[in-house]
Amino acid sequence: MAEHTGEHEKHQSESLIDKITEKLHDADSSSSDSDGDNDIKSAASGVKSKIYRLFGREKPLHKVLGGGKPADIFLWRDKKVSAGVLGAATVIWVLFELLEYHLLALVCHILILGLAIVFLWSNAASFIKKSPPRIPEVVIPEDIVRDVASAFRSEVNFALAILRDIASGKDVKSFLAVIAGLWVLSILGSCLNFLTLFYIGFVLLHSVPLLYEKYEDQVDALAEKAEAELKKQYAVFNSQVLSKIPRGPLKDKKFL
């Protein structure tokens, strides 16, 4: 009986040691697996950082466009909403450009039609024994107006500060880029009016990001080659022309 009890205790101690050994082995294997996962993640992040992205972009295209509802519209996440916005812009362009409708006349006609419908509905409700229409009270919140004005002021000040830095003669590359952009914009403005130019830009916002997201790798590869060629040409132009232009220093002042 005593021998049987001793063998039973010995068997329990051996099984306990085996369980502890298995747990230690599982912990070592899980730690090695986690180390391997970390190595794979670090290698993947290193490879990802070496991939060329257009304009040095590091964030996804959805976040570059601001995220939220505007980015969803530009990238056609909700096709009905995107099609509705683009359709409304097209109707406005057709009214003002093709049909040569005037803004003031359009607003007046819409108000006349709306007021006439509501007025007739309100007076006819008693005859047809139906409830009159509920006209909502529309009030523009003061906070929204302040936020919009503050954001517009910040953007204007930021643009003026950039123009001041470019005009100071510190960055010739930015100066040439802005001059070329304004020259192209002036050519487009002489050929197209503001509404048509705005509509073309609106259509491009609804098409170019979608196509870029679909063919991102191919576009980035072509952009990398184009950027390398432009850098070569700019280096030649800089050494032969820009480096010989004297630059006048401009004292830095705080821009409010």
Side-chain angles (χ1 to χ4, degrees), residues 199-215:
Y199 177 70
I200 292 173
F202 194 79
V203 173
L204 290 176
L205 278 175
H206 281 76
S207 56
V208 173
L210 179 65
L211 294 174
Y212 174 70
E213 188 181 38
K214 188 175 181 180
Y215 303 103

Side-chain angles (χ1 to χ4, degrees), residues 150-191:
S150 177
F152 180 75
R153 171 183 173 276
S154 299
E155 294 297 331
V156 171
N157 288 338
F158 180 71
L160 292 176
I162 292 177
L163 292 176
R164 177 183 178 275
D165 292 337
I166 292 172
S168 65
K170 298 178 181 178
D171 192 352
V172 181
K173 186 178 180 180
S174 299
F175 171 76
L176 293 176
V178 171
I179 293 298
L182 292 175
W183 180 67
V184 172
L185 192 61
S186 66
I187 294 175
L188 292 175
S190 62
C191 300

